[in-house]
PDB file of all heavy atoms in Angstrom:
ATOM      1  N   TYR A   4      -0.020  -5.876  31.479  1.00  0.00           N
ATOM      2  CA  TYR A   4       0.163  -4.734  30.574  1.00  0.00           C
ATOM      3  C   TYR A   4      -0.676  -3.528  30.968  1.00  0.00           C
ATOM      4  O   TYR A   4      -0.328  -2.402  30.687  1.00  0.00           O
ATOM      5  CB  TYR A   4      -0.126  -5.157  29.127  1.00  0.00           C
ATOM      6  CG  TYR A   4       0.884  -6.144  28.602  1.00  0.00           C
ATOM      7  CD1 TYR A   4       0.548  -7.471  28.391  1.00  0.00           C
ATOM      8  CD2 TYR A   4       2.185  -5.745  28.346  1.00  0.00           C
ATOM      9  CE1 TYR A   4       1.476  -8.386  27.926  1.00  0.00           C
ATOM     10  CE2 TYR A   4       3.131  -6.638  27.891  1.00  0.00           C
ATOM     11  CZ  TYR A   4       2.772  -7.966  27.674  1.00  0.00           C
ATOM     12  OH  TYR A   4       3.698  -8.848  27.227  1.00  0.00           O
ATOM     13  N   PHE A   7       0.809  -0.501  32.546  1.00  0.00           N
ATOM     14  CA  PHE A   7       1.692   0.363  31.754  1.00  0.00           C
ATOM     15  C   PHE A   7       0.916   1.387  30.915  1.00  0.00           C
ATOM     16  O   PHE A   7       1.491   2.299  30.359  1.00  0.00           O
ATOM     17  CB  PHE A   7       2.568  -0.485  30.824  1.00  0.00           C
ATOM     18  CG  PHE A   7       3.637  -1.258  31.548  1.00  0.00           C
ATOM     19  CD1 PHE A   7       3.497  -2.615  31.782  1.00  0.00           C
ATOM     20  CD2 PHE A   7       4.771  -0.621  32.013  1.00  0.00           C
ATOM     21  CE1 PHE A   7       4.477  -3.329  32.458  1.00  0.00           C
ATOM     22  CE2 PHE A   7       5.759  -1.316  32.690  1.00  0.00           C
ATOM     23  CZ  PHE A   7       5.608  -2.676  32.914  1.00  0.00           C
ATOM     24  N   SER A   9      -1.417   4.447  29.636  1.00  0.00           N
ATOM     25  CA  SER A   9      -1.742   5.802  30.077  1.00  0.00           C
ATOM     26  C   SER A   9      -3.238   5.879  30.375  1.00  0.00           C
ATOM     27  O   SER A   9      -4.023   5.048  29.910  1.00  0.00           O
ATOM     28  CB  SER A   9      -1.387   6.810  28.985  1.00  0.00           C
ATOM     29  OG  SER A   9      -2.191   6.601  27.838  1.00  0.00           O
ATOM     30  N   ASP A  10      -3.614   6.896  31.139  1.00  0.00           N
ATOM     31  CA  ASP A  10      -5.038   7.069  31.452  1.00  0.00           C
ATOM     32  C   ASP A  10      -5.840   7.254  30.165  1.00  0.00           C
ATOM     33  O   ASP A  10      -6.951   6.747  30.032  1.00  0.00           O
ATOM     34  CB  ASP A  10      -5.230   8.303  32.350  1.00  0.00           C
ATOM     35  CG  ASP A  10      -4.533   8.127  33.690  1.00  0.00           C
ATOM     36  OD1 ASP A  10      -4.318   6.972  34.095  1.00  0.00           O
ATOM     37  OD2 ASP A  10      -4.197   9.149  34.320  1.00  0.00           O
ATOM     38  N   ALA A  12      -5.128   6.028  27.161  1.00  0.00           N
ATOM     39  CA  ALA A  12      -5.261   4.733  26.488  1.00  0.00           C
ATOM     40  C   ALA A  12      -6.333   3.885  27.165  1.00  0.00           C
ATOM     41  O   ALA A  12      -7.117   3.196  26.504  1.00  0.00           O
ATOM     42  CB  ALA A  12      -3.925   4.000  26.473  1.00  0.00           C
ATOM     43  N   LEU A  66       9.178  10.103  -3.794  1.00  0.00           N
ATOM     44  CA  LEU A  66       9.478   8.980  -2.900  1.00  0.00           C
ATOM     45  C   LEU A  66      10.366   9.408  -1.732  1.00  0.00           C
ATOM     46  O   LEU A  66      10.717   8.603  -0.874  1.00  0.00           O
ATOM     47  CB  LEU A  66      10.160   7.854  -3.691  1.00  0.00           C
ATOM     48  CG  LEU A  66       9.301   7.229  -4.803  1.00  0.00           C
ATOM     49  CD1 LEU A  66      10.164   6.369  -5.720  1.00  0.00           C
ATOM     50  CD2 LEU A  66       8.165   6.396  -4.223  1.00  0.00           C
ATOM     51  N   TYR A  68      11.547  12.075   1.603  1.00  0.00           N
ATOM     52  CA  TYR A  68      10.971  12.889   2.666  1.00  0.00           C
ATOM     53  C   TYR A  68      10.522  14.220   2.096  1.00  0.00           C
ATOM     54  O   TYR A  68      11.105  14.721   1.118  1.00  0.00           O
ATOM     55  CB  TYR A  68      12.001  13.150   3.761  1.00  0.00           C
ATOM     56  CG  TYR A  68      12.281  11.983   4.687  1.00  0.00           C
ATOM     57  CD1 TYR A  68      13.522  11.369   4.715  1.00  0.00           C
ATOM     58  CD2 TYR A  68      11.299  11.518   5.549  1.00  0.00           C
ATOM     59  CE1 TYR A  68      13.786  10.309   5.580  1.00  0.00           C
ATOM     60  CE2 TYR A  68      11.555  10.456   6.417  1.00  0.00           C
ATOM     61  CZ  TYR A  68      12.801   9.858   6.428  1.00  0.00           C
ATOM     62  OH  TYR A  68      13.055   8.819   7.277  1.00  0.00           O
ATOM     63  N   TYR A 109      -7.731  16.164  14.547  1.00  0.00           N
ATOM     64  CA  TYR A 109      -6.863  15.848  15.674  1.00  0.00           C
ATOM     65  C   TYR A 109      -5.871  16.982  15.920  1.00  0.00           C
ATOM     66  O   TYR A 109      -5.665  17.422  17.051  1.00  0.00           O
ATOM     67  CB  TYR A 109      -6.130  14.536  15.392  1.00  0.00           C
ATOM     68  CG  TYR A 109      -5.307  14.030  16.560  1.00  0.00           C
ATOM     69  CD1 TYR A 109      -5.861  13.172  17.501  1.00  0.00           C
ATOM     70  CD2 TYR A 109      -3.978  14.411  16.721  1.00  0.00           C
ATOM     71  CE1 TYR A 109      -5.113  12.701  18.570  1.00  0.00           C
ATOM     72  CE2 TYR A 109      -3.225  13.950  17.789  1.00  0.00           C
ATOM     73  CZ  TYR A 109      -3.794  13.089  18.702  1.00  0.00           C
ATOM     74  OH  TYR A 109      -3.044  12.635  19.759  1.00  0.00           O
ATOM     75  N   LYS A 113      -5.600  19.430  19.187  1.00  0.00           N
ATOM     76  CA  LYS A 113      -4.409  19.467  20.044  1.00  0.00           C
ATOM     77  C   LYS A 113      -3.759  20.867  20.040  1.00  0.00           C
ATOM     78  O   LYS A 113      -3.103  21.256  20.994  1.00  0.00           O
ATOM     79  CB  LYS A 113      -3.416  18.399  19.559  1.00  0.00           C
ATOM     80  CG  LYS A 113      -2.387  17.995  20.618  1.00  0.00           C
ATOM     81  CD  LYS A 113      -1.882  16.573  20.452  1.00  0.00           C
ATOM     82  CE  LYS A 113      -0.639  16.331  21.299  1.00  0.00           C
ATOM     83  NZ  LYS A 113      -0.868  16.034  22.695  1.00  0.00           N
ATOM     84  N   THR A 114      -3.944  21.580  18.941  1.00  0.00           N
ATOM     85  CA  THR A 114      -3.358  22.919  18.835  1.00  0.00           C
ATOM     86  C   THR A 114      -4.139  23.957  19.645  1.00  0.00           C
ATOM     87  O   THR A 114      -3.562  24.905  20.161  1.00  0.00           O
ATOM     88  CB  THR A 114      -3.308  23.351  17.351  1.00  0.00           C
ATOM     89  OG1 THR A 114      -2.507  22.405  16.637  1.00  0.00           O
ATOM     90  CG2 THR A 114      -2.702  24.731  17.178  1.00  0.00           C
ATOM     91  N   LEU A 115      -5.450  23.744  19.749  1.00  0.00           N
ATOM     92  CA  LEU A 115      -6.262  24.798  20.365  1.00  0.00           C
ATOM     93  C   LEU A 115      -6.681  24.545  21.808  1.00  0.00           C
ATOM     94  O   LEU A 115      -6.883  25.492  22.558  1.00  0.00           O
ATOM     95  CB  LEU A 115      -7.509  25.060  19.513  1.00  0.00           C
ATOM     96  CG  LEU A 115      -7.273  25.579  18.093  1.00  0.00           C
ATOM     97  CD1 LEU A 115      -8.599  25.815  17.389  1.00  0.00           C
ATOM     98  CD2 LEU A 115      -6.449  26.863  18.106  1.00  0.00           C
ATOM     99  N   ASN A 117      -6.626  22.838  25.738  1.00  0.00           N
ATOM    100  CA  ASN A 117      -6.003  22.146  26.858  1.00  0.00           C
ATOM    101  C   ASN A 117      -7.011  21.175  27.480  1.00  0.00           C
ATOM    102  O   ASN A 117      -8.217  21.382  27.358  1.00  0.00           O
ATOM    103  CB  ASN A 117      -5.593  23.151  27.932  1.00  0.00           C
ATOM    104  CG  ASN A 117      -4.420  23.995  27.493  1.00  0.00           C
ATOM    105  OD1 ASN A 117      -3.447  23.483  26.936  1.00  0.00           O
ATOM    106  ND2 ASN A 117      -4.502  25.297  27.738  1.00  0.00           N
ATOM    107  N   GLY A 234     -11.095  36.344   9.857  1.00  0.00           N
ATOM    108  CA  GLY A 234     -10.064  35.323  10.038  1.00  0.00           C
ATOM    109  C   GLY A 234     -10.333  34.454  11.250  1.00  0.00           C
ATOM    110  O   GLY A 234      -9.449  34.161  12.040  1.00  0.00           O
ATOM    111  N   LYS A 244     -14.186  12.025  -0.408  1.00  0.00           N
ATOM    112  CA  LYS A 244     -15.496  11.829  -1.016  1.00  0.00           C
ATOM    113  C   LYS A 244     -15.536  12.239  -2.484  1.00  0.00           C
ATOM    114  O   LYS A 244     -16.474  11.906  -3.191  1.00  0.00           O
ATOM    115  CB  LYS A 244     -16.565  12.600  -0.224  1.00  0.00           C
ATOM    116  CG  LYS A 244     -16.528  12.386   1.290  1.00  0.00           C
ATOM    117  CD  LYS A 244     -16.637  10.927   1.691  1.00  0.00           C
ATOM    118  CE  LYS A 244     -16.703  10.733   3.211  1.00  0.00           C
ATOM    119  NZ  LYS A 244     -15.472  11.111   3.937  1.00  0.00           N
ATOM    120  N   GLY A 249      -8.948   6.046   0.329  1.00  0.00           N
ATOM    121  CA  GLY A 249      -7.753   5.264   0.622  1.00  0.00           C
ATOM    122  C   GLY A 249      -6.462   6.022   0.350  1.00  0.00           C
ATOM    123  O   GLY A 249      -5.386   5.604   0.751  1.00  0.00           O
ATOM    124  N   LYS A 264       1.273  26.360  13.899  1.00  0.00           N
ATOM    125  CA  LYS A 264       1.342  25.522  15.094  1.00  0.00           C
ATOM    126  C   LYS A 264       0.850  24.097  14.792  1.00  0.00           C
ATOM    127  O   LYS A 264       1.409  23.126  15.299  1.00  0.00           O
ATOM    128  CB  LYS A 264       0.509  26.130  16.222  1.00  0.00           C
ATOM    129  CG  LYS A 264       1.195  27.296  16.913  1.00  0.00           C
ATOM    130  CD  LYS A 264       2.470  26.849  17.639  1.00  0.00           C
ATOM    131  CE  LYS A 264       3.156  28.002  18.347  1.00  0.00           C
ATOM    132  NZ  LYS A 264       4.387  27.599  19.035  1.00  0.00           N
TER     133      LYS A 264
ATOM    134  N   TYR B   4      -4.418  35.476  18.098  1.00  0.00           N
ATOM    135  CA  TYR B   4      -4.507  34.016  17.976  1.00  0.00           C
ATOM    136  C   TYR B   4      -3.800  33.293  19.112  1.00  0.00           C
ATOM    137  O   TYR B   4      -4.159  32.177  19.470  1.00  0.00           O
ATOM    138  CB  TYR B   4      -3.948  33.568  16.621  1.00  0.00           C
ATOM    139  CG  TYR B   4      -4.798  34.030  15.460  1.00  0.00           C
ATOM    140  CD1 TYR B   4      -4.362  35.010  14.594  1.00  0.00           C
ATOM    141  CD2 TYR B   4      -6.060  33.480  15.260  1.00  0.00           C
ATOM    142  CE1 TYR B   4      -5.151  35.451  13.538  1.00  0.00           C
ATOM    143  CE2 TYR B   4      -6.865  33.918  14.209  1.00  0.00           C
ATOM    144  CZ  TYR B   4      -6.396  34.901  13.352  1.00  0.00           C
ATOM    145  OH  TYR B   4      -7.189  35.326  12.327  1.00  0.00           O
ATOM    146  N   PHE B   7      -5.716  31.615  21.837  1.00  0.00           N
ATOM    147  CA  PHE B   7      -6.493  30.409  21.547  1.00  0.00           C
ATOM    148  C   PHE B   7      -5.638  29.141  21.584  1.00  0.00           C
ATOM    149  O   PHE B   7      -6.165  28.034  21.558  1.00  0.00           O
ATOM    150  CB  PHE B   7      -7.150  30.523  20.165  1.00  0.00           C
ATOM    151  CG  PHE B   7      -8.272  31.506  20.127  1.00  0.00           C
ATOM    152  CD1 PHE B   7      -8.096  32.765  19.578  1.00  0.00           C
ATOM    153  CD2 PHE B   7      -9.510  31.176  20.667  1.00  0.00           C
ATOM    154  CE1 PHE B   7      -9.136  33.686  19.551  1.00  0.00           C
ATOM    155  CE2 PHE B   7     -10.563  32.087  20.641  1.00  0.00           C
ATOM    156  CZ  PHE B   7     -10.370  33.348  20.092  1.00  0.00           C
ATOM    157  N   SER B   9      -3.272  26.018  22.680  1.00  0.00           N
ATOM    158  CA  SER B   9      -3.097  25.164  23.860  1.00  0.00           C
ATOM    159  C   SER B   9      -1.688  25.357  24.416  1.00  0.00           C
ATOM    160  O   SER B   9      -0.795  25.841  23.716  1.00  0.00           O
ATOM    161  CB  SER B   9      -3.311  23.704  23.488  1.00  0.00           C
ATOM    162  OG  SER B   9      -2.296  23.271  22.594  1.00  0.00           O
ATOM    163  N   ASP B  10      -1.494  24.980  25.668  1.00  0.00           N
ATOM    164  CA  ASP B  10      -0.161  25.083  26.272  1.00  0.00           C
ATOM    165  C   ASP B  10       0.839  24.261  25.470  1.00  0.00           C
ATOM    166  O   ASP B  10       1.982  24.674  25.271  1.00  0.00           O
ATOM    167  CB  ASP B  10      -0.187  24.580  27.726  1.00  0.00           C
ATOM    168  CG  ASP B  10      -1.087  25.448  28.584  1.00  0.00           C
ATOM    169  OD1 ASP B  10      -1.311  26.623  28.217  1.00  0.00           O
ATOM    170  OD2 ASP B  10      -1.591  24.943  29.611  1.00  0.00           O
ATOM    171  N   ALA B  12       0.735  23.516  22.235  1.00  0.00           N
ATOM    172  CA  ALA B  12       1.050  24.204  20.976  1.00  0.00           C
ATOM    173  C   ALA B  12       2.028  25.349  21.229  1.00  0.00           C
ATOM    174  O   ALA B  12       2.937  25.594  20.433  1.00  0.00           O
ATOM    175  CB  ALA B  12      -0.226  24.719  20.320  1.00  0.00           C
ATOM    176  N   LEU B  66      -8.190   1.855  -2.882  1.00  0.00           N
ATOM    177  CA  LEU B  66      -8.573   3.270  -2.843  1.00  0.00           C
ATOM    178  C   LEU B  66      -9.668   3.535  -1.815  1.00  0.00           C
ATOM    179  O   LEU B  66     -10.120   4.666  -1.638  1.00  0.00           O
ATOM    180  CB  LEU B  66      -9.053   3.717  -4.236  1.00  0.00           C
ATOM    181  CG  LEU B  66      -7.978   3.641  -5.335  1.00  0.00           C
ATOM    182  CD1 LEU B  66      -8.609   3.786  -6.719  1.00  0.00           C
ATOM    183  CD2 LEU B  66      -6.914   4.719  -5.126  1.00  0.00           C
ATOM    184  N   TYR B  68     -11.574   3.161   2.173  1.00  0.00           N
ATOM    185  CA  TYR B  68     -11.224   3.122   3.593  1.00  0.00           C
ATOM    186  C   TYR B  68     -10.755   1.720   3.964  1.00  0.00           C
ATOM    187  O   TYR B  68     -11.196   0.730   3.367  1.00  0.00           O
ATOM    188  CB  TYR B  68     -12.451   3.457   4.457  1.00  0.00           C
ATOM    189  CG  TYR B  68     -12.814   4.927   4.499  1.00  0.00           C
ATOM    190  CD1 TYR B  68     -14.009   5.382   3.952  1.00  0.00           C
ATOM    191  CD2 TYR B  68     -11.969   5.849   5.109  1.00  0.00           C
ATOM    192  CE1 TYR B  68     -14.355   6.732   4.006  1.00  0.00           C
ATOM    193  CE2 TYR B  68     -12.311   7.197   5.161  1.00  0.00           C
ATOM    194  CZ  TYR B  68     -13.498   7.628   4.614  1.00  0.00           C
ATOM    195  OH  TYR B  68     -13.838   8.957   4.663  1.00  0.00           O
ATOM    196  N   LYS B 113       1.844   7.989  23.481  1.00  0.00           N
ATOM    197  CA  LYS B 113       0.530   8.386  23.987  1.00  0.00           C
ATOM    198  C   LYS B 113      -0.184   7.205  24.656  1.00  0.00           C
ATOM    199  O   LYS B 113      -1.027   7.393  25.523  1.00  0.00           O
ATOM    200  CB  LYS B 113      -0.304   8.945  22.820  1.00  0.00           C
ATOM    201  CG  LYS B 113      -1.461   9.811  23.275  1.00  0.00           C
ATOM    202  CD  LYS B 113      -1.851  10.876  22.269  1.00  0.00           C
ATOM    203  CE  LYS B 113      -3.222  11.481  22.593  1.00  0.00           C
ATOM    204  NZ  LYS B 113      -3.212  12.537  23.600  1.00  0.00           N
ATOM    205  N   THR B 114       0.146   6.012  24.214  1.00  0.00           N
ATOM    206  CA  THR B 114      -0.496   4.818  24.779  1.00  0.00           C
ATOM    207  C   THR B 114       0.068   4.477  26.152  1.00  0.00           C
ATOM    208  O   THR B 114      -0.635   3.952  27.014  1.00  0.00           O
ATOM    209  CB  THR B 114      -0.306   3.617  23.819  1.00  0.00           C
ATOM    210  OG1 THR B 114      -0.920   3.947  22.572  1.00  0.00           O
ATOM    211  CG2 THR B 114      -0.943   2.348  24.372  1.00  0.00           C
ATOM    212  N   LEU B 115       1.351   4.776  26.363  1.00  0.00           N
ATOM    213  CA  LEU B 115       1.994   4.307  27.595  1.00  0.00           C
ATOM    214  C   LEU B 115       2.167   5.363  28.679  1.00  0.00           C
ATOM    215  O   LEU B 115       2.200   5.011  29.859  1.00  0.00           O
ATOM    216  CB  LEU B 115       3.356   3.684  27.263  1.00  0.00           C
ATOM    217  CG  LEU B 115       3.328   2.427  26.384  1.00  0.00           C
ATOM    218  CD1 LEU B 115       4.746   1.911  26.181  1.00  0.00           C
ATOM    219  CD2 LEU B 115       2.453   1.337  26.985  1.00  0.00           C
ATOM    220  N   ASN B 117       1.534   8.982  30.876  1.00  0.00           N
ATOM    221  CA  ASN B 117       0.759  10.148  31.277  1.00  0.00           C
ATOM    222  C   ASN B 117       1.692  11.348  31.406  1.00  0.00           C
ATOM    223  O   ASN B 117       2.890  11.175  31.642  1.00  0.00           O
ATOM    224  CB  ASN B 117       0.107   9.902  32.641  1.00  0.00           C
ATOM    225  CG  ASN B 117      -1.015   8.890  32.555  1.00  0.00           C
ATOM    226  OD1 ASN B 117      -1.815   8.923  31.631  1.00  0.00           O
ATOM    227  ND2 ASN B 117      -1.057   7.987  33.516  1.00  0.00           N
ATOM    228  N   GLY B 234       7.928 -10.891  26.498  1.00  0.00           N
ATOM    229  CA  GLY B 234       6.937 -10.000  25.887  1.00  0.00           C
ATOM    230  C   GLY B 234       7.044  -8.592  26.426  1.00  0.00           C
ATOM    231  O   GLY B 234       6.050  -7.961  26.749  1.00  0.00           O
ATOM    232  N   LYS B 244      14.095   3.461   4.989  1.00  0.00           N
ATOM    233  CA  LYS B 244      15.500   3.348   4.615  1.00  0.00           C
ATOM    234  C   LYS B 244      15.773   2.184   3.661  1.00  0.00           C
ATOM    235  O   LYS B 244      16.841   2.099   3.079  1.00  0.00           O
ATOM    236  CB  LYS B 244      16.373   3.201   5.871  1.00  0.00           C
ATOM    237  CG  LYS B 244      16.082   4.230   6.963  1.00  0.00           C
ATOM    238  CD  LYS B 244      16.224   5.672   6.480  1.00  0.00           C
ATOM    239  CE  LYS B 244      16.028   6.693   7.609  1.00  0.00           C
ATOM    240  NZ  LYS B 244      14.682   6.728   8.191  1.00  0.00           N
ATOM    241  N   GLY B 249       9.160   8.528   1.285  1.00  0.00           N
ATOM    242  CA  GLY B 249       7.975   9.263   0.863  1.00  0.00           C
ATOM    243  C   GLY B 249       6.723   8.413   0.845  1.00  0.00           C
ATOM    244  O   GLY B 249       5.607   8.923   0.741  1.00  0.00           O
ATOM    245  N   LYS B 264      -4.366  -1.062  21.954  1.00  0.00           N
ATOM    246  CA  LYS B 264      -4.601   0.312  22.424  1.00  0.00           C
ATOM    247  C   LYS B 264      -4.001   1.333  21.462  1.00  0.00           C
ATOM    248  O   LYS B 264      -4.588   2.386  21.222  1.00  0.00           O
ATOM    249  CB  LYS B 264      -4.007   0.494  23.828  1.00  0.00           C
ATOM    250  CG  LYS B 264      -4.870  -0.104  24.932  1.00  0.00           C
ATOM    251  CD  LYS B 264      -6.213   0.607  25.029  1.00  0.00           C
ATOM    252  CE  LYS B 264      -7.060   0.028  26.152  1.00  0.00           C
ATOM    253  NZ  LYS B 264      -8.375   0.698  26.264  1.00  0.00           N
TER     254      LYS B 264
END
Side-chain angles (χ1 to χ4, degrees):
Chain A
Y4 293 109
F7 288 103
S9 65
D10 297 336
L66 297 167
Y68 284 115
Y109 186 90
K113 200 152 166 81
T114 300
L115 297 181
N117 289 316
K244 311 304 184 294
K264 282 295 181 181
Chain B
Y4 293 109
F7 289 102
S9 66
D10 297 336
L66 297 167
Y68 284 114
K113 200 151 165 83
T114 299
L115 296 182
N117 289 317
K244 311 303 184 295
K264 282 296 181 180

